[in-house]
């Protein structure tokens, strides 16, 4: 589908890239200066819902810039315009509910780098779209870099065909440990009680099972979750048959509170993981947040992360099916 919409003007942003013929992110701005108000934006989105969703799939990332989006309430109105079904976040990141469908993004220390990932990649049901809103851009750093997932697969298959084939055939197994209560001093400090919405261990086990996890209880009151087998790559309908690098091997391999191995117990070679980390960084797309930005990610197609930053930084998030 070609770009054609009278209600938006195509713009540019620093750091954008053309990947396989598509601009990432596709920047959409008001068609004229007096159409930057929230009401005009909501009307434009309402009148072009199907087209806008096709742009997200086509370009993987769409950035609304130059519109008067002030706060969580405004952001929620944008999200609700599309009538996409909400999906509750399940994962290690500490987050706070702000308003209706809007939450804070990872509240871990701004000094830490949040590694590239597909949102909720290890859970049976993951969001199709991740939508971010910048209320307060950081004075330095704090970018939300993203990576076309299929490019990682292409390079890994070129450089490590045998290793990729073996992992594909065997599948992956992950483990992750979480404390009982939230620890906001860590970017992975969300406690199991908050994660599963209960302090009852039996109920937590039941809810974990429904999400595709096995659990082990630790002496300190924490929990160890075991997930597997999980895929290395995945092909999603409508995305040119691209093989997405739909895993979190680099983010979890050999860490203090997590691990990633092949499902039969075989270790993943260290040099393969290290080179994958380099490839992901090489393929990354960086852009600077501006106040009022609203960024739509195709979570099937993109990994995303967070660069360290100076405070203040306030980016809010909504996740949709």
């Amino acid at each position: 589908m070609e770009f054609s919409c009278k209600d938006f003007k195509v713009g540019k942003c620093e750091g954008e890239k053309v990947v396989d013929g598509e601009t990432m992110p596709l920047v959409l701005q008001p068609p004229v200066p007096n159409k930057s108000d929230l009401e005009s934006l909501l009307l434009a989105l309402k009148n072009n819902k199907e087209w806008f969703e096709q742009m997200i799939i086509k370009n993987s990332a769409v950035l609304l810039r130059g519109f008067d989006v002030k706060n969580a309430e405004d952001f929620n109105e944008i999200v609700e315009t599309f009538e996409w079904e909400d999906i509750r976040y399940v994962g290690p990141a500490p987050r706070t509910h702000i308003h209706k469908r809007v939450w804070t993004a990872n509240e871990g220390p701004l000094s830490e780098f949040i590694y590239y990932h597909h949102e909720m990649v290890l859970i049976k049901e993951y969001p199709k779209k991740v939508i971010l809103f910048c209320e307060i851009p950081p004075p330095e750093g704090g970018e939300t870099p993203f990576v076309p997932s299929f490019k990682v697969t292409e390079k890994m298959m070129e450089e490590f065909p045998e290793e990729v084939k073996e992992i594909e055939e065997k599948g992956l197994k992950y483990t992750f440990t979480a404390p009982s209560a939230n620890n906001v001093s860590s970017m992975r400090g969300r406690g199991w009680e908050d994660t599963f919405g209960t302090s009852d261990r039996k109920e937590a086990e039941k809810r974990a099972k429904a999400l595709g996890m096995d659990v082990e209880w630790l002496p300190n009151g924490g929990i160890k979750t075991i997930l597997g087998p999980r895929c290395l790559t995945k092909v999603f309908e409508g995305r040119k048959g691209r093989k997405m690098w739909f895993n979190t091997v680099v983010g979890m391999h050999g860490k203090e509170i997590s691990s990633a191995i092949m499902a039969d117990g075989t270790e993943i070679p260290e040099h393969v993981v290290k080179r994958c980390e380099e490839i992901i960084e090489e393929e990354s797309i960086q852009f600077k947040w501006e106040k009022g930005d609203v960024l739509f990610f195709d979570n099937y197609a993109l990994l995303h992360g967070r660069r360290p930053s100076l405070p203040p930084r306030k980016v809010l998030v909504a996740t949709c099916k």
Side-chain angles (χ1 to χ4, degrees):
M1 180 182 286
E2 293 301 312
F3 179 88
S4 177
C5 183
K6 62 181 177 58
D7 294 321
F8 295 99
K9 180 178 74 174
V10 177
K12 288 189 172 295
C13 72
E14 183 184 347
E16 69 180 37
K17 283 185 182 179
V18 176
V19 180
D20 202 22
E22 308 297 352
T23 303
M24 299 183 187
L26 172 64
V27 181
L28 298 181
Q29 298 175 323
V32 290
N34 66 351
K35 291 286 188 181
S36 64
D37 60 286
L38 180 66
E39 190 175 341
S40 295
L41 173 59
L42 293 174
L43 183 62
L45 293 174
K46 186 178 179 181
N47 290 339
N48 299 280
K49 279 194 284 192
E50 186 178 338
W51 171 84
F52 194 91
E53 184 161 12
Q54 285 302 311
M55 291 301 104
I56 297 172
I57 294 171
K58 176 174 174 284
N59 293 75
S60 301
V62 176
L63 175 63
L64 295 176
R65 173 165 283 179
F67 294 94
D68 192 20
V69 187
K70 294 188 177 71
N71 50 40
E73 289 76 14
D74 292 354
F75 177 44
N76 187 74
E77 285 200 60
I78 291 169
V79 174
E80 292 196 338
T81 296
F82 292 97
E83 301 177 297
W84 295 325
E85 192 176 346
D86 192 37
I87 185 167
R88 185 179 186 273
Y89 172 72
V90 177
R95 293 182 173 181
T96 301
H97 182 239
I98 300 295
H99 175 75
K100 293 187 177 178
R101 296 179 62 166
V102 178
W103 294 71
T104 57
N106 193 317
E107 293 177 5
L110 290 176
S111 59
E112 294 187 38
F113 174 47
I114 297 173
Y115 195 70
Y116 299 99
H117 59 283
H118 289 274
E119 198 70 17
M120 292 166 56
V121 64
L122 300 183
I123 309 302
K124 278 185 175 179
E125 187 177 30
Y126 32 80
K128 188 175 182 180
K129 303 170 193 72
V130 175
I131 313 169
L132 299 161
F133 161 60
C134 182
E135 187 169 343
I136 302 173
E140 183 180 315
E143 297 89 350
T144 299
F146 57 94
V147 181
S149 196
F150 79 98
K151 295 296 290 182
V152 182
T153 307
E154 284 182 352
K155 283 201 170 180
M156 287 296 290
M157 290 178 75
E158 284 173 16
E159 297 186 26
F160 303 102
E162 294 304 316
E163 291 87 344
V164 169
K165 182 183 177 185
E166 183 182 5
I167 301 170
E168 288 263 49
E169 289 173 351
K170 292 181 176 179
L172 291 160
K173 182 169 78 172
Y174 303 92
T175 66
F176 185 84
T177 59
S180 175
N182 288 348
N183 173 15
V184 293
S185 67
S186 169
M187 65 179 182
R188 287 181 164 184
R190 192 182 189 197
W192 64 262
E193 294 183 17
D194 185 22
T195 299
F196 298 119
T198 180
S199 58
D200 181 86
R201 289 190 174 196
K202 289 292 183 189
E203 184 60 29
E205 288 177 13
K206 182 180 172 184
R207 295 180 185 183
K209 202 71 168 174
L211 294 166
M213 305 177 187
D214 292 317
V215 303
E216 293 176 9
W217 295 102
L218 304 177
N220 63 3
I223 194 173
K224 179 180 181 180
T225 57
I226 302 110
L227 305 96
R230 293 289 190 273
C231 65
L232 181 73
T233 64
K234 204 168 181 69
V235 177
F236 293 97
E237 187 181 350
R239 287 156 182 83
K240 300 183 178 180
R242 292 166 171 168
K243 261 192 170 186
M244 306 304 181
W245 193 251
F246 210 69
N247 64 77
T248 183
V249 166
V250 176
M252 292 182 71
H253 180 268
K255 304 295 190 293
E256 185 180 351
I257 61 171
S258 66
S259 70
I261 59 176
M262 295 184 219
D264 69 346
T266 305
E267 291 289 338
I268 302 168
E270 183 69 36
H271 72 283
V272 174
V273 179
K274 183 65 180 172
R275 178 58 186 140
C276 183
E277 183 177 5
E278 293 171 353
I279 289 170
I280 289 171
E281 192 58 55
E282 288 165 8
E283 296 296 330
S284 68
I285 296 168
Q286 320 281 331
F287 79 101
K288 297 281 187 186
W289 282 114
E290 292 185 8
K291 184 177 175 61
D293 279 351
V294 179
L295 180 62
F296 294 75
F297 282 152
D298 178 358
N299 188 48
Y300 292 178
L302 297 177
L303 302 123
H304 69 278
R306 187 197 71 188
R307 293 274 181 222
S309 78
L310 296 177
R313 178 189 189 272
K314 189 174 184 182
V315 174
L316 304 179
V317 65
T319 46
C320 307
K321 293 183 181 180

